[in-house]
């Protein structure tokens, strides 16, 4: 289990999770036990040492109000909450926010949120996004209104186009000598056009760089998504139920002259700060003896497991 020791200020630490709004769950399930899931989510945050940033996707319905209730008191410091338009994505920041901006993506629904923060290592850029799923046309052809920037990059689908736009937005925004971290639910696996937009631009897949195994659909090891999101069955079961890796934490190298030449702390938490670079919330509720249907505590905070990353600045 991770420790509850807050991470040292020389590190840059980020956790990210698509929390599952629960709007498609049957009404009697109270948004698939949303309040219980948010409570468990913050237990994971505390167990991860209260990261500098917590990026949350799918912040719709009653999610934001519940997060606000916990953000001020769960950790030894209050998190500042930065909201995107339409409250699809939020960033919880331990440190003062210098600026923030939301950029709309192709289709007009999805977006990317950028937050610049006064971190002890220097100004830091953090981005979070949630690209289109199949239900809102993510796999559909980009079509006759496809932006020129997407056509030129070879995008075939709406989601492909959104990935191109996220990359371009980060490239024109991130101008600091510290690394940037881009997290979210990209709704596409490694090897896809979406994924290659980022690693092909020199961004680092922090999970793989830390020595973690690629997703094995047969066992769920290394996977971040796959549970059913329309009922409680999977989230009340201790079985992990995940079979794909579509949630990522990408590290964008600092611009020169760099003021933080970093290394990625491995999953084993080599620096002993309580947070290694690995999948986040990947165990059935480890804070109780047993989890399951009510009256037991819930097993999972979401249909996703998310990511966490620890970057250590080198002298």
């Amino acid at each position: 289990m991770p420790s509850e020791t807050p991470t040292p200020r020389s590190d840059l630490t980020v956790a990210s999770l698509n929390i599952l709004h629960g709007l498609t769950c049957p009404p009697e399930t109270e948004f698939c036990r949303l309040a219980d899931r948010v409570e468990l989510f913050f237990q994971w945050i505390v167990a991860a040492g209260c990261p500098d940033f917590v990026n949350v996707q799918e912040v719709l319905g009653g999610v934001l109000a519940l997060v606000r209730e916990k953000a001020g008191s769960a950790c030894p410091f209050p998190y500042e909450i930065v909201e995107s338009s339409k409250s699809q994505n939020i960033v919880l920041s331990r440190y003062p926010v210098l600026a923030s901006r939301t950029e709309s993506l192709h289709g007009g629904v999805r977006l990317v949120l950028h937050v610049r923060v006064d971190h002890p290592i220097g100004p830091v850029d953090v981005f979070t996004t949630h690209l289109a799923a199949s239900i809102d046309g993510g796999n559909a052809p980009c079509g006759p209104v496809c932006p020129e920037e997407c056509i030129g990059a070879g995008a075939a689908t709406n989601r492909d186009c959104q990935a191109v736009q996220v990359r371009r937005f980060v490239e024109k925004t991130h101008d600091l000598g510290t690394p940037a971290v881009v997290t979210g639910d990209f709704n596409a696996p490694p090897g896809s056009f979406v994924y290659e937009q980022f690693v092909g631009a020199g961004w680092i897949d922090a999970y793989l760089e830390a020595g973690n195994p690629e997703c094995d659909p047969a066992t769920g090891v290394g996977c971040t998504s796959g549970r059913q999101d329309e009922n409680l069955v999977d989230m009340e079961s201790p079985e992990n139920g995940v079979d794909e890796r579509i949630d990522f934490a990408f590290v964008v190298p600092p611009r020169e002259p760099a003021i933080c030449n970093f290394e990625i702390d491995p999953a084993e938490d080599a620096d002993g700060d309580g947070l290694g670079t690995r999948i986040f919330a990947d165990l059935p509720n480890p804070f109780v003896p047993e989890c399951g249907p009510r009256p037991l505590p819930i097993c999972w905070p979401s249909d996703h497991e998310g990511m966490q990353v620890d970057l250590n600045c080198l002298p």
Side-chain angles (χ1 to χ4, degrees):
M1 277 296 301
S3 77
E4 297 186 7
T5 303
T7 51
R9 295 186 175 184
S10 59
D11 290 5
L12 172 59
T13 55
V14 184
S16 178
L17 182 69
N18 177 336
I19 190 62
L20 176 61
H21 51 63
L23 295 175
T24 58
C25 298
E28 64 271 15
T29 68
E30 298 171 343
F31 305 106
C32 285
R33 292 177 63 178
L34 177 60
D36 293 343
R37 292 190 291 105
V38 171
E39 177 71 27
L40 177 55
F41 175 42
F42 272 89
Q43 288 180 283
W44 274 106
I45 290 171
V46 172
C50 295
D52 298 340
F53 305 97
V54 182
N55 299 345
V56 194
Q57 304 87 50
E58 216 163 283
V59 182
L60 299 168
V63 175
L64 184 57
L66 291 168
V67 169
R68 281 176 174 155
E69 287 179 11
K70 302 293 295 183
S73 59
C75 289
F77 51 85
Y79 279 112
E80 181 176 351
I81 302 177
V82 182
E83 303 173 36
S84 64
S85 60
K86 307 172 188 175
S87 295
Q88 292 182 15
N89 307 298
I90 61 174
V91 171
L92 310 185
S93 175
R94 175 179 182 174
Y95 297 108
V97 173
L98 299 173
S100 64
R101 177 182 171 188
T102 298
E103 183 86 347
S104 293
L105 303 176
H106 176 61
V109 175
R110 303 291 179 157
L111 48 87
V112 56
L113 172 62
H114 166 230
V115 179
R116 180 164 290 184
V117 170
D118 185 14
H119 193 278
I121 67 172
V124 165
D125 286 329
V126 175
F127 301 82
T128 191
T129 192
H130 184 188
L131 302 189
S134 57
I135 194 171
D136 65 317
N139 296 329
C142 199
V145 296
C146 197
E148 188 62 39
E149 62 189 5
C150 297
I151 296 172
T157 69
N158 291 327
R159 187 186 304 119
D160 290 348
C161 179
Q162 292 169 359
V164 171
Q165 292 176 321
V166 169
R167 174 182 56 78
R168 289 171 60 91
F169 176 65
V170 172
E171 287 176 343
K172 71 182 181 183
T173 304
H174 177 56
D175 56 1
L176 301 175
T178 52
V181 179
V182 184
T183 75
D185 174 2
F186 292 84
N187 272 312
S192 63
F193 178 93
V194 168
Y195 182 83
E196 292 301 323
Q197 277 299 296
F198 308 127
V199 297
W203 299 9
I204 301 165
D205 180 343
Y207 173 81
L208 291 185
E209 186 71 14
N212 294 295
E214 189 50 272
C215 169
D216 180 354
T219 65
V221 172
C223 307
T224 67
S225 181
R227 296 186 193 107
Q228 292 297 313
D229 61 358
E230 296 179 352
N231 59 62
L232 267 174
V233 175
D234 282 3
M235 280 167 285
E236 290 184 332
S237 169
E239 299 297 322
N240 70 3
V242 292
D243 58 10
E244 59 183 350
R245 187 166 75 98
I246 61 175
D247 303 85
F248 302 103
F250 295 109
V251 181
V252 185
R255 295 289 183 92
E256 296 297 335
I259 60 174
C260 172
N261 294 300
F262 65 92
E263 64 180 10
I264 297 177
D265 191 34
E268 295 77 17
D269 185 24
D271 62 5
D273 64 9
L275 181 72
T277 301
R278 57 191 301 279
I279 293 174
F280 177 77
D282 61 344
L283 297 172
N285 196 336
F287 311 107
V288 294
E290 185 181 4
C291 65
R294 282 174 170 156
L296 292 173
I298 199 161
C299 293
W300 305 98
S302 175
D303 55 333
H304 290 249
E305 293 185 351
M307 292 299 307
Q308 62 184 47
V309 59
D310 181 4
L311 304 183
N312 303 326
C313 285
L314 303 177

